[in-house]
Structure formats: C-alpha cells, structure tokens
Amino acid sequence: MEDMKKPRFLIIGDQGQVGWELQRTMATLGDVIAIGRRTKPSTIDLADPDTIRKAVREIKPDWIINAAAYTSVDKAEEEHELAMAVNGTAPGILAEEAKAIKATLIHYSTDYVFDGKATEPYKEESPTNPLSVYGKTKLAGEKAVEAVDGRYLIFRTSWVYGNRGHNFLMTMRRLAQEREELRIVDDQHGAPTWCRHIAEATGQIVSQCMINSGLLDEKQGLYHLSSDGMTTWYGFSRSIFELLREADEKILLQSVKPITTEEYPLPAPRPGYSILDNSKLRHHFGVMLPDWKLVLDQVMK
C-alpha cells in the first residue's frame, strides 16, 4: 500500500515568535517550507502582492499559515499605509491564492480588534471597535480572509510572548538588569499567551482536520486562542521578576510601581480590557490553553 502523500505547509514569517515555533510543531505533520522577507531562494514581502502570489504558486502548499504581521503598534499610527498593506490587504491575497489551489489558510489576529469596554470575556461574535491603526488593520485582514470564502481558520490571540524576539518578557528581563525602578501600567487587562502554545494548538487542530477530512468544512471560521486567566502588564511584570529572583538571577531592579495608562502615554491607544472567551475553540476542537501564570513558570524555567 502506498503511503499517504505528505501535506506541504507554507509558513510565512519564519523569524517571528509564532512562526519560529510553528516550524518545529508542523514538521511532525508534513513537509514545512518557512519563508519571510530575508529567506533564500524564496522570499515573501507581505507589502508586495507580487511576491505573495509568486511564492504560493511556486510552492503549491496544502496549508498556508500566515504568522507574519506588522506588529509595531505605536509605529503603525504613522505608517498606516504599510500596516494596512501587511495586516489588511495581504491576508486577502493569501486567501485568494489558497482558494485557487484548494489550500487552507490559517491566519492570526489580535485582541486589539476590541475597544476594551466590555466587562466579560469577548466572544468571536462580540462587536469589534479597534482603537488603534494596528487594531483596525488586523480587523481588515480578518474581513479580507472571510470575504474570499475559501477554506480558512482565523485565530485571535493576545499578549504574545516567548524566550526570543521582541516581546514583553524579553523587555522586562533586559530592564531588570538595567534599572533599579520600573513603572508599569496596571489598568490594561489581558492574558499573556506563550507563542509555543499557539503553535502547538494550531498543530493539534490541523492534525484533527487531516484525520477527519470533513471537519474543516464543518468547523472553519474565526476562533479565540489565548491563555486562561487574566492579569495586567504590572501583574505580568511582577510575576516575571519574582521568577527571576527565585532563579537567583542577578538583577539590578529593586521596585516596580503600578501606574495608569494616562501616566504612560503612547501614540496608539490600547483596550483597557481584552480578555478573550476561548470556549468555542474548546467546544469544536477540544483545545484549551492553561492559565497564563502556570505557563510563565514553565517558560522561565
């Protein structure tokens, strides 16, 4: 009997936090081709539609996983055209190309599509009202994918971090070595989500869809995918510093003070509350992420 043909995965954003983890996770399910703006010989620049079409048509993947994005939330307030090209327009082009070759597109979005005025976790169908250019461009990307009406999964996640790249954990580790006192915002509420868990959850869902070919037709769409629990940036930082001290890491930091968003003005407004309700993901795929604080302990160790 012939072996089943291995599926081919095209991962876009090979150097990003989630893209980096996806390369290892998806390698157990099929052949992985991971590309970005600097990879050779195949490159892809999400701001350049021609490179998107060329890459997909040459590689002919079964699955396209778009883990690339314009993520400079504050810079996007000035570079709105570039942010829209990468976050808003490119996902639609990927969806069109995926549909043309009967591939499935997986795309990641953000909790910043909400305005933060809710008092209970946001569901997938909750009204969106992004406050920032970044949030508006990510919402545009979701709508562009949905409009194509191909095979797709969109995962909204939140406060993504890990042990490499640019993220809150890495910044706090650096600042703990450089400063005696830090002032951290304590009135924005969210759920820190480990990039590896995002990749692993994606792999579990893809695996289910590969085993049951009709599952995706039945369950495709938009899902929330974030860690359980809730904290603030101040709470997140306190937990990081406590774990650094437990590990006897030599740090200069002596104190962390909670402040309000108004006391730390930034170009882009952030939602004050962006907890996501993940029950749809659990109900449809049996996938759930553990509490953020338990995960942080694993990541730090």
Side-chain angles (χ1 to χ4, degrees):
M1 182 186 291
E2 285 187 23
D3 290 337
M4 285 176 61
K5 175 181 167 284
K6 268 189 176 183
R8 178 175 290 181
F9 296 96
L10 170 59
I11 297 172
I12 301 167
D14 61 323
Q15 295 301 307
Q17 296 178 81
V18 177
W20 182 264
E21 297 289 353
L22 279 166
Q23 291 173 64
R24 286 136 191 81
T25 304
M26 307 313 291
T28 62
L29 299 177
D31 294 327
V32 171
I33 298 164
I35 62 176
R37 284 182 299 167
R38 299 180 186 87
T39 48
K40 302 292 182 185
S42 294
T43 60
I44 192 165
D45 180 354
L46 293 187
D48 182 349
D50 289 340
T51 69
I52 299 172
R53 295 188 178 98
K54 183 172 183 287
V56 175
R57 291 173 191 184
E58 285 181 354
I59 294 167
K60 296 183 178 64
D62 301 290
W63 295 79
I64 300 170
I65 308 181
N66 181 29
Y70 183 109
T71 56
S72 300
V73 176
D74 292 308
K75 209 171 173 185
E77 295 295 310
E78 295 177 6
E79 297 185 341
H80 49 88
E81 287 185 7
L82 178 58
M84 183 58 81
V86 174
N87 292 345
T89 306
I93 297 168
L94 283 168
E96 289 169 0
E97 293 299 317
K99 185 176 181 180
I101 60 171
K102 295 183 171 56
T104 301
L105 173 65
I106 294 176
H107 177 66
Y108 298 98
S109 190
T110 174
D111 56 327
Y112 280 26
V113 299
F114 298 111
D115 60 17
K117 293 178 181 174
T119 54
E120 56 186 33
Y122 285 101
K123 295 182 181 292
E124 287 80 357
E125 62 273 15
S126 298
T128 53
N129 185 30
L131 304 174
S132 62
V133 168
Y134 168 73
K136 288 170 183 172
T137 62
K138 291 297 288 181
L139 181 59
E142 291 181 14
K143 292 184 181 303
V145 171
E146 291 168 346
V148 171
D149 196 29
R151 292 161 63 89
Y152 73 92
L153 290 164
I154 298 171
F155 297 126
R156 283 185 190 144
T157 188
S158 68
W159 295 23
V160 180
Y161 76 97
N163 272 325
R164 65 184 301 280
H166 301 287
N167 60 69
F168 189 79
L169 170 62
M170 300 299 285
T171 300
M172 290 302 107
R173 283 189 131 155
R174 175 176 56 80
L175 292 177
Q177 307 284 349
E178 299 172 356
R179 301 188 192 175
E180 291 187 1
E181 181 182 292
L182 287 172
R183 300 162 73 244
I184 308 291
V185 171
D186 194 32
D187 58 357
Q188 293 172 25
H189 299 79
T193 307
W194 188 19
C195 54
R196 184 173 298 174
H197 276 172
I198 295 170
E200 289 176 347
T202 302
Q204 287 181 43
I205 291 163
V206 169
S207 179
Q208 290 181 41
C209 293
M210 286 166 55
I211 292 167
N212 179 355
S213 58
L215 183 63
L216 190 61
D217 295 327
E218 189 184 327
K219 307 291 188 186
Q220 72 169 17
L222 172 67
Y223 291 87
H224 288 171
L225 170 59
S226 64
S227 284
D228 198 15
M230 177 176 73
T231 188
T232 64
W233 294 113
Y234 170 74
F236 191 15
S237 69
R238 284 288 302 268
S239 294
I240 291 167
F241 301 137
E242 285 169 11
L243 289 166
L244 286 174
R245 291 191 178 96
E246 281 179 21
D248 287 330
E249 286 201 26
K250 299 290 184 285
I251 58 174
L252 186 63
L253 188 73
Q254 298 298 316
S255 70
V256 188
K257 294 187 176 178
I259 60 170
T260 64
T261 297
E262 286 183 354
E263 291 176 273
Y264 192 70
L266 290 167
R270 270 77 166 169
Y273 177 96
S274 60
I275 304 299
L276 302 177
D277 183 324
N278 299 292
S279 57
K280 180 181 173 184
L281 189 81
R282 182 172 68 249
H283 178 69
H284 283 195
F285 294 106
V287 171
M288 62 199 88
L289 302 192
D291 187 273
W292 73 270
K293 200 161 188 181
L294 295 173
V295 177
L296 179 63
D297 191 41
Q298 294 175 2
V299 176
M300 298 284 282
K301 287 174 179 173

